[in-house]
């Protein structure tokens, strides 16, 4: 299998476009014949990351590489950073404002779901600089 490289811009504060990257990834993975279980995991992990970038970081960039070893998703933003990653990983913990919660987002499940649906996840974050989340999903 050749390596497939995909890149998506995730606009900030635009919930109408949130999900475009995960939808594009899902279509691309189906097209190249990735198994449905891996497609589902990748699409969910990507969607949760997109929503986090929209809510918390003013958008960002998602890059994906698909190869024999699996799917590598890298989400990079230049948002405020995550001051306490351990706390942010707790289900239900969120810093989303009420305006976002009233839209049905910001329930504090983004990072926990990203971890749940990836086989490996790493978060590198610096307050005032931004966050990079790297997820791997086996195929």
């Amino acid at each position: 299998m050749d390596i497939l490289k995909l890149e998506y811009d995730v606009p900030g504060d635009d919930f109408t476009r949130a999900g475009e990257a995960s939808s594009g990834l899902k279509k691309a993975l189906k097209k190249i014949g990735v198994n449905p279980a891996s497609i589902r995991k990748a699409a969910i992990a990507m969607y949760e990351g997109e929503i986090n970038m929209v809510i918390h970081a003013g958008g960002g960039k998602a890059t994906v590489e698909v190869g024999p070893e699996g799917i590598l998703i890298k989400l990079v933003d230049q948002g405020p950073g995550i001051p306490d990653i351990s706390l942010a990983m707790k289900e239900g913990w969120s810093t989303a404002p009420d305006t976002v919660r009233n839209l049905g987002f910001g329930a504090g499940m983004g990072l926990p779901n990203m971890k749940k649906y990836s086989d490996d996840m790493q978060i590198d974050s610096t307050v005032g600089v931004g966050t990079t989340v790297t997820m791997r999903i086996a195929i």
Side-chain angles (χ1 to χ4, degrees):
M1 171 192 288
D2 290 334
I3 293 179
L4 171 66
K5 294 184 180 187
L6 305 166
E7 192 171 289
Y8 303 95
D9 288 318
V10 178
D13 302 319
D14 186 353
F15 289 96
T16 63
R17 295 193 46 208
E20 288 180 357
S22 55
S23 178
L25 174 60
K26 185 176 180 180
K27 288 176 188 171
L29 294 176
K30 280 183 180 180
K31 188 175 182 178
I32 63 170
V34 172
N35 71 73
S38 295
I39 292 172
R40 180 176 181 272
K41 288 170 66 174
I44 292 170
M46 175 75 101
Y47 179 77
E48 294 287 7
E50 278 181 87
I51 291 297
N52 275 358
M53 287 193 287
V54 169
I55 293 171
H56 302 288
K61 185 172 288 294
T63 56
V64 181
E65 289 186 10
V66 184
E69 309 83 39
I71 303 163
L72 176 67
I73 299 171
K74 189 172 188 177
L75 308 172
V76 179
D77 70 55
Q78 295 176 344
I82 304 170
D84 187 336
I85 293 172
S86 296
L87 186 57
M89 289 301 298
K90 291 185 179 181
E91 291 185 7
W93 189 85
S94 177
T95 59
D98 287 340
T99 53
V100 169
R101 291 175 189 257
N102 290 338
L103 294 173
F105 300 99
M109 293 303 296
L111 288 173
N113 278 339
M114 291 163 69
K115 183 175 175 87
K116 178 180 177 179
Y117 289 100
S118 60
D119 295 309
D120 180 57
M121 182 175 97
Q122 304 220 325
I123 302 172
D124 296 306
S125 189
T126 303
V127 174
V129 177
T131 301
T132 298
V133 178
T134 306
M135 298 177 284
R136 288 179 174 75
I137 298 155
I139 54 174

